[in-house]
């Protein structure tokens, strides 16, 4: 039963990553639509990349803190010969 649930969860996570990510918040989207209405050649690719970049920095920081916390709380095991 646990294997089935784990398989379903992993399948859902794999399918969820395939969907395209729209990184714009509502405020950014309305601002881009207003700018696009004024200018015909307004490109939003840079804006999306910037939003995704700003989103990844907190996850990297949390991962680094978690890694160092784990290493500090779990002592190294002595090598077995």
């Amino acid at each position: 039963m646990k294997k089935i649930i784990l398989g379903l969860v992993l399948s859902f996570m794999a399918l969820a990553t395939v969907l395209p990510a729209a990184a714009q918040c509502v405020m950014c989207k309305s601002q881009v639509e207003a700018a696009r209405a004024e200018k015909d050649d307004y490109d939003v690719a840079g804006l999306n990349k910037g939003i995704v970049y700003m989103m990844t920095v907190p996850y990297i920081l949390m991962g680094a803190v978690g890694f160092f916390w784990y290493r500090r709380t779990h002592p190294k095991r002595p090598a077995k010969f």
Side-chain angles (χ1 to χ4, degrees):
M1 184 67 175
K2 288 182 181 180
K3 289 183 180 181
I4 294 173
I5 293 174
L6 180 64
L8 289 174
V9 169
L10 290 176
S11 299
F12 177 74
M13 289 174 58
L15 289 174
T17 59
V18 175
L19 300 175
Q24 292 183 0
C25 63
V26 176
M27 296 295 289
C28 297
K29 185 175 180 179
S30 63
Q31 198 66 13
V32 168
E33 287 175 356
R36 187 178 280 171
E38 292 176 10
K39 301 176 190 174
D40 291 334
D41 60 344
Y42 190 75
D43 187 24
V44 298
L47 179 67
N48 281 335
K49 288 178 185 176
I51 292 171
V52 171
Y53 175 73
M54 288 189 305
M55 181 183 71
T56 58
V57 172
Y59 288 110
I60 292 171
L61 290 174
M62 287 188 305
V65 168
F67 173 73
F68 288 118
W69 181 32
Y70 177 81
R71 288 197 57 205
R72 186 174 180 93
T73 58
H74 290 80
K76 285 186 177 180
R77 295 181 183 155
K80 296 180 181 178
F81 292 104

